Amino acid sequence: MEFRMERGALTDAVSRAARVLPARSPVPVLGGLLLEADTGRLLVSGLDFEASVHVETEAHTVRPGKALVMGRRLLDICKVLPEGPVECAVEGSRFTVTGDGSRFGLSLLPLDDHPALPPLPEVRGAVDAGEFASAVAQVAVASGRDDTLPTLTGIRLGLDGSTMTLAATDRYRFAVRTLPFEATAPDVTADVVVSARRLAEIARSLGRSGQVDVAVDGGSVGFQHAGTRTTVRLLDGRLPRHDKLFALADPAVVVLDRVRLVEAVRRVSVVADGGSPLQMSFSAGPEGSVLLQAGFEDDVASQRLPTASPCDAEMTVAFNPVYLMDALSSFEDATVRMELMGPGQRAMLTGGEGTGAATHQHLLMSVKPALL
């Protein structure tokens, strides 16, 4: 096996494939990356017990062949190689990497011990790469972190004809994003749960242009984009439906400048120790404003902001400041619309002047306001 290619292209392919490798594994061979040199191309593959990645890139192949090497060590080598062309070859029991006078050698792992990559499930359609990456980032902030409740650590991926729905909840907040989906057939449907961490990694690795093929079967979901193919094992269970939960009856509505609100929440939260709440007191009328307060006794902070559209009623609600910041930061709009049911009840955030039909919605449970 022998091939040549640019250092940047090799590093990119290796880093994409290495992201699924386990940090520690009782099975050493799972820490390996499989390199396959074929006519005009290099295939780099990696997998663990939950996910797999297969990357195809251009290369000048001198001798076709395969090699299995420790993936993270190869990635470390790629990062320190000089810019320019790189030559890679199998020499006896060693895989060598040479570039601009630098030379590295890696021990080969036994090819026969490496598991076969799972096939890509049936492709159900395609979605815009940039929109998909943004959508995953917007809902992932609401996913659970408690591994004893594995289903809540996932993101619901729903397909229904021309719509893809992504949703996540940790029981205290619920984020939903819908986006257009180009289905392979009008009757395409799916409702599965994918690890939020894995899906976020995949979304970050995608380019911001082009289409991503989405493939789903009973046990896994797959994504294919620009020469990279990824599969992820599904999580068991189902996330709760959000339809009834998101239906707020006659809420008080207020619109605020999102950037100024983010800055104020960050500023006032400095004194919100131990998860103490951040209180928001809304005044009604044409000169409406909101007073943000946090802290206890002498350690307090406050800031007043004007509202872009005044609140329908006088109201005081409070939120976990971390959850509120996560929700506000997940939006990209200049303003944010808040629908409030009252203290200790649900509050809906949508972008700008959006309504319940908005493509991105973030539901928060408010807490009882504290006495400051």
Side-chain angles (χ1 to χ4, degrees):
M1 174 190 188
E2 183 178 353
F3 62 90
R4 302 189 187 101
M5 61 191 305
E6 287 295 314
R7 176 255 184 191
L10 177 62
T11 303
D12 180 65
V14 170
S15 62
R16 285 173 181 264
R19 61 183 169 78
V20 300
L21 299 180
R24 296 182 182 84
S25 173
V27 185
V29 74
L30 286 182
L33 284 181
L34 179 63
L35 309 177
E36 302 176 70
D38 201 352
T39 305
R41 62 177 184 166
L42 173 70
L43 309 177
V44 186
S45 306
L47 78 165
D48 67 2
F49 295 110
E50 296 179 355
S52 72
V53 176
H54 180 85
V55 182
E56 179 177 331
T57 187
E58 294 182 359
H60 174 68
T61 302
V62 180
R63 283 185 291 121
K66 299 181 180 181
L68 183 65
V69 299
M70 292 304 297
R72 297 191 183 279
R73 179 59 59 84
L74 178 59
L75 180 57
D76 289 341
I77 290 172
C78 289
K79 289 178 178 178
V80 299
L81 281 169
E83 292 292 342
V86 175
E87 297 183 7
C88 301
V90 172
E91 299 177 0
S93 61
R94 178 182 295 170
F95 179 77
T96 62
V97 183
T98 307
D100 194 23
S102 300
R103 183 178 175 84
F104 300 86
L106 285 174
S107 300
L108 293 172
L109 299 174
L111 281 169
D112 293 340
D113 293 345
H114 195 252
L117 259 67
L120 187 74
E122 179 186 356
V123 174
R124 302 299 184 92
V127 65
D128 180 80
E131 260 196 297
F132 178 70
S134 295
V136 171
Q138 287 175 321
V139 302
V141 297
S143 62
R145 306 293 187 268
D146 185 357
D147 289 333
T148 63
L149 300 169
T151 303
L152 294 184
T153 66
I155 291 176
R156 173 183 172 242
L157 191 156
L159 303 178
D160 186 5
S162 61
T163 302
M164 171 185 284
T165 301
L166 299 175
T169 180
D170 62 0
R171 298 180 297 175
Y172 305 104
R173 45 191 172 165
F174 206 137
V176 175
R177 170 72 194 272
T178 59
L179 58 161
F181 181 71
E182 296 182 11
T184 55
D187 59 348
V188 164
T189 60
D191 191 351
V192 298
V193 181
V194 189
S195 163
R197 179 177 65 85
R198 294 288 192 183
L199 197 58
E201 289 175 350
I202 292 169
R204 284 194 298 267
S205 71
L206 296 173
R208 289 285 175 166
S209 61
Q211 297 286 98
V212 179
D213 291 332
V214 181
V216 186
D217 62 17
S220 64
V221 61
F223 303 92
Q224 191 167 246
H225 175 263
T228 299
R229 186 183 75 209
T230 305
T231 64
V232 183
R233 183 182 298 177
L234 299 177
L235 297 178
D236 293 330
R238 290 287 184 268
L239 290 181
R241 302 289 296 192
H242 64 277
D243 310 72
K244 293 183 178 179
L245 189 64
F246 278 29
L248 306 185
D250 195 26
V253 179
V254 61
V255 178
L256 298 127
D257 183 296
R258 189 186 67 85
V259 175
R260 292 188 65 182
L261 182 58
V262 166
E263 292 173 350
V265 170
R266 181 180 292 114
R267 188 173 296 122
V268 174
S269 297
V270 169
V271 298
D273 295 327
S276 61
L278 184 148
Q279 184 170 296
M280 302 179 72
S281 299
F282 295 93
S283 63
E287 301 297 326
S289 65
V290 56
L291 176 65
L292 284 75
Q293 296 173 279
F296 293 104
E297 297 181 348
D298 292 330
D299 298 326
V300 294
S302 66
Q303 181 169 350
R304 185 176 294 276
L305 293 176
T307 57
S309 176
C311 191
D312 296 335
E314 301 276 345
M315 184 177 294
T316 298
V317 293
F319 299 99
N320 178 308
V322 175
Y323 292 174
L324 180 59
M325 179 62 79
D326 285 345
L328 293 171
S329 300
S330 71
F331 289 90
E332 299 171 351
D333 307 72
T335 57
V336 63
R337 185 178 193 263
M338 301 183 74
E339 299 179 22
L340 309 168
M341 296 297 293
Q345 300 187 57
R346 292 166 292 164
M348 174 68 74
L349 277 67
T350 54
E353 298 292 339
T355 64
T359 61
H360 179 206
Q361 300 169 279
H362 198 115
L363 190 77
L364 288 175
M365 285 303 299
S366 64
V367 298
K368 292 184 178 180
L371 295 175
L372 298 175

